[in-house]
Amino acid sequence: MQGVHFGQADPFITRYRLLYDDWRGYLIAGFSLVWLANLYMSAFGRLRLDFKHERVEIGAEQAVLDGKAKAQEPATPGTPGHQ
């Protein structure tokens, strides 16, 4: 006995209906599926870009702070910066 996959039962569970009952409904559904997938992928890409931008900003600020901390440290004897 073959079981019904969830993907096959999903339209019945969600009461999904096509806008048109003929081939035009399937055409519109196909284009809307691709449009929604592109929308989600664009949003996810923008979110990843924002995270990377924040990570780069934090790294640059940390490098500036590390540079200031090293400039304020007194040079120890035996190092090239000691006079």
Side-chain angles (χ1 to χ4, degrees), residues 25-83:
Y26 289 104
L27 185 68
I28 292 171
F31 282 122
S32 63
L33 178 66
V34 171
W35 179 77
L36 282 173
N38 283 333
L39 185 72
Y40 283 131
M41 289 187 332
S42 297
F44 181 69
R46 184 173 298 272
L47 188 62
R48 286 187 61 202
L49 188 62
D50 287 342
F51 286 156
K52 177 147 180 115
H53 181 71
E54 287 178 12
R55 200 170 31 235
V56 167
E57 281 183 351
I58 290 170
E61 289 175 6
Q62 188 67 37
V64 168
L65 291 176
D66 287 345
K68 286 182 181 178
K70 287 183 181 180
Q72 292 176 355
E73 290 177 359
T76 57
T79 58
H82 182 67
Q83 294 178 354

Side-chain angles (χ1 to χ4, degrees), residues 10-22 24-26 28-30 32:
D10 189 42
F12 299 111
I13 294 170
T14 61
R15 298 181 186 253
Y16 178 78
R17 296 190 49 126
L18 293 175
L19 189 60
Y20 297 106
D21 289 332
D22 57 354
R24 294 176 294 173
Y26 289 104
I28 292 171
S32 63

